[in-house]
Amino acid sequence: MSNLVLVAFVWQQIRDDSVDALRRDTIEQSDALVSVWRSGGERALARAIAEARAPGDFSLILAIVDGSGQRRVGVGPEDITLVGAPEPTAFRIGKIGGDRPWSEREAGYSVRRIGASFLVSGRLLDDWEQEQRGIERAMGAATLLSLALGLLVGLIVTRYVGHRLNEVTDVIEGVAAGDLTRRVEGVAGGQDAFDRLASRLNAMLDKLERLMSELRVVTDGFAHDLRSPLARLRSKAEAAVLQSEPEAREAAMSGLLVETDLVMRMLTTLIEISRAESLSRDRFTSVDPKALVEEIAELYAPVVEDAGMTFVTAIEPTDGRVILHRELMTQAITNLIDNALRHAAAGRAVTLRLARDDRELRFQVEDRGPGIAQADRALALRRFGRLDGARTTPGAGLGMALVEAVARLHGGRLDLEENAPGLIAAIVVPVG
């Protein structure tokens, strides 16, 4: 349709240009001959008409006709006469001959009064119409060629698009069938829409595979870690039921409450991790990081000192506010302080540090405990991941996983570094 519209437009434009050129030439020739008549009379005009026709030019019409339209002098077809009485006209296109075959042929001509007679000048449209038909044939051939090329290119594009979409469909069907390792093949760094789609889809599948893997680990770890407290819970409940002495029953019930609290803490922490991973950023607010760290330090300084350690607050100069989820960030920082309290040796220092550069903000907790070996840090960040040295202490191995989830929520990360001795745990979030 677009080709047909384009061809029609070009054809109409060529026709209009041709008519305009014929009108211009006819009027200029008529004006020139009228000037000859005015300066030399009808004899000079007849001589100019006789000299105007070029050899082989049979479409030219130049004639002097009387009031009845009969030709007196002129060049062109011998039996052409005007239809009816002549009337002056600047230019018109129509049939000029009164008898066949000229009555069936059109011409572009003008009629000018010269005394008692009329000057007719113009051209038959035979050559012009022949050129028009040639142009129409060329345009028809061009339309057919463009249609064929359009169909060919359309088929090629359709096959290419179908092939790329089939790749995506096959991968989606494979993933739906349970194979989370399937990926869409694409050109690395490609810029077309399918390469970008493949990149985004692969990133989504990578995240889905990671989440499913984490879900399996969480399920296995939760089932494993929950088995022991539930077994102890049942054992202590059974012991409490069997106790006949009130004091012994009360002691058994106290142990029962401790085990119940441990299970509740595990479930609460899992819920908090899920909340941190799915929370929308529209819940974030503008926070002064310096005031946040000072508030946490004021709360935890007495707790750390009661544990026989020294609490140090180090706040580097920071300007401006940052967009954070205040409650979750506070909980993550306090989790790091709790870990430092649990694992650092008595009498040593626990440092809460705030540092900032042009691109990042660091909420950092430093202790002087045994630290975490480089090989064990990935396990420490895994849900229910507990190092051998921590299995004798209460807990479920979810605290560091919660901290990492909060850091990811803020578009940052959790860094674990050596403090020689001890551990530096830093929540790093981008700013600016």
Side-chain angles (χ1 to χ4, degrees):
M1 291 298 296
S2 63
N3 284 335
L4 290 176
V5 171
L6 178 61
V7 166
F9 171 78
V10 172
W11 180 86
Q12 186 65 40
Q13 192 68 32
I14 292 174
R15 185 181 186 280
D16 292 343
D17 291 345
S18 300
V19 171
D20 288 341
L22 180 59
R23 177 187 294 108
R24 185 173 56 253
D25 293 344
T26 300
I27 293 174
E28 289 176 356
Q29 186 179 54
S30 177
D31 290 341
L33 292 176
V34 169
S35 298
V36 171
W37 171 78
R38 286 173 179 169
S39 61
E42 190 169 313
R43 181 174 297 179
L45 177 59
R47 196 164 45 247
I49 290 175
E51 295 172 354
R53 182 172 184 176
D57 185 4
F58 300 106
S59 65
L60 181 65
I61 300 172
L62 290 175
I64 300 173
V65 299
D66 57 23
S68 65
Q70 298 297 315
R71 187 177 67 174
R72 295 170 47 203
V73 178
V75 296
E78 293 297 329
D79 54 352
I80 285 186
T81 57
L82 290 179
V83 178
E87 294 181 2
T89 179
F91 179 82
R92 71 181 297 267
I93 293 179
K95 296 179 174 60
I96 190 172
D99 301 320
R100 296 184 63 185
W102 310 113
S103 60
E104 299 174 352
R105 303 169 67 183
E106 287 190 333
Y109 63 94
S110 70
V111 179
R112 303 286 294 273
R113 180 179 292 276
I114 50 172
S117 303
F118 294 89
L119 171 65
V120 180
S121 64
R123 283 187 176 274
L124 291 172
L125 299 184
D126 295 3
D127 294 340
W128 181 75
E129 290 176 349
Q130 187 174 357
E131 291 176 359
Q132 287 289 103
R133 286 192 292 271
I135 293 173
E136 291 171 1
R137 286 194 296 270
M139 288 186 172
T143 302
L144 293 176
L145 180 60
S146 65
L147 178 61
L149 290 176
L151 290 174
L152 178 61
V153 173
L155 289 174
I156 294 173
V157 171
T158 301
R159 288 180 62 85
Y160 172 75
V161 172
H163 174 70
R164 297 300 298 269
L165 288 180
N166 286 336
E167 290 181 351
V168 175
T169 303
D170 292 342
V171 170
I172 293 176
E173 290 177 351
V175 172
D179 185 4
L180 297 180
T181 62
R182 297 287 297 275
R183 297 294 182 270
V184 181
E185 295 183 2
V187 179
Q191 295 301 315
D192 69 9
F194 289 106
D195 290 328
R196 293 197 297 274
L197 174 63
S199 175
R200 302 298 188 277
L201 185 59
N202 289 340
M204 183 187 69
L205 293 176
D206 289 339
K207 184 175 182 180
L208 178 62
E209 185 179 16
R210 179 176 60 81
L211 291 176
M212 293 303 296
S213 177
E214 289 183 359
L215 179 61
R216 285 193 293 268
V217 171
V218 168
T219 304
D220 295 343
F222 188 62
H224 180 271
D225 280 53
L226 199 58
R227 186 183 297 114
S228 296
L230 286 178
R232 291 194 300 269
L233 189 63
R234 185 184 184 285
S235 175
K236 291 185 178 183
E238 184 178 1
V241 171
L242 296 177
Q243 291 293 336
S244 58
E245 296 294 330
E247 294 81 3
R249 184 181 297 112
E250 184 177 349
M253 292 298 293
S254 298
L256 187 63
L257 291 175
V258 171
E259 296 298 334
T260 303
D261 289 341
L262 176 60
V263 174
M264 292 300 297
R265 282 199 301 272
M266 292 172 62
L267 294 174
T268 301
T269 306
L270 281 173
I271 293 172
E272 290 171 347
I273 292 174
S274 299
R275 178 190 174 204
E277 290 179 337
S278 61
L279 194 67
S280 171
R281 293 184 67 89
D282 59 7
R283 302 287 299 276
F284 286 24
T285 58
S286 177
V287 177
D288 182 357
K290 180 180 178 181
L292 177 63
V293 170
E294 289 176 344
E295 180 181 327
I296 295 173
E298 183 180 358
L299 177 66
Y300 265 82
V303 178
V304 175
E305 292 172 358
D306 289 344
M309 303 179 192
T310 303
F311 189 79
V312 179
T313 305
I315 300 178
E316 299 180 8
T318 57
D319 297 325
R321 303 170 69 87
V322 293
I323 304 300
L324 300 173
H325 192 289
R326 184 183 181 90
E327 292 77 12
L328 285 178
M329 184 59 70
T330 301
Q331 185 173 1
I333 296 172
T334 57
N335 271 19
L336 294 180
I337 298 176
D338 287 336
N339 281 343
L341 282 173
R342 189 178 299 114
H343 300 296
R348 297 191 175 181
V350 173
T351 301
L352 175 59
R353 186 183 305 276
L354 174 65
R356 178 173 179 171
D357 57 25
D358 293 337
R359 296 178 298 172
E360 294 179 336
L361 184 69
R362 294 174 65 90
F363 297 96
Q364 189 166 295
V365 176
E366 307 167 7
D367 65 52
R368 292 293 180 175
I372 300 177
Q374 181 71 36
D376 295 333
R377 289 176 185 173
L379 176 61
L381 298 179
R382 189 182 305 164
R383 297 182 189 182
F384 297 104
R386 306 197 69 193
L387 304 182
D388 292 338
R391 294 190 180 277
T392 57
T393 60
L398 293 172
M400 297 296 277
L402 174 60
V403 176
E404 187 183 32
V406 172
R408 284 203 308 267
L409 174 67
H410 289 80
R413 65 186 186 278
L414 173 61
D415 286 347
L416 300 180
E417 302 170 359
E418 184 64 38
N419 199 26
L423 180 70
I424 299 175
I427 303 172
V428 184
V429 295
V431 295

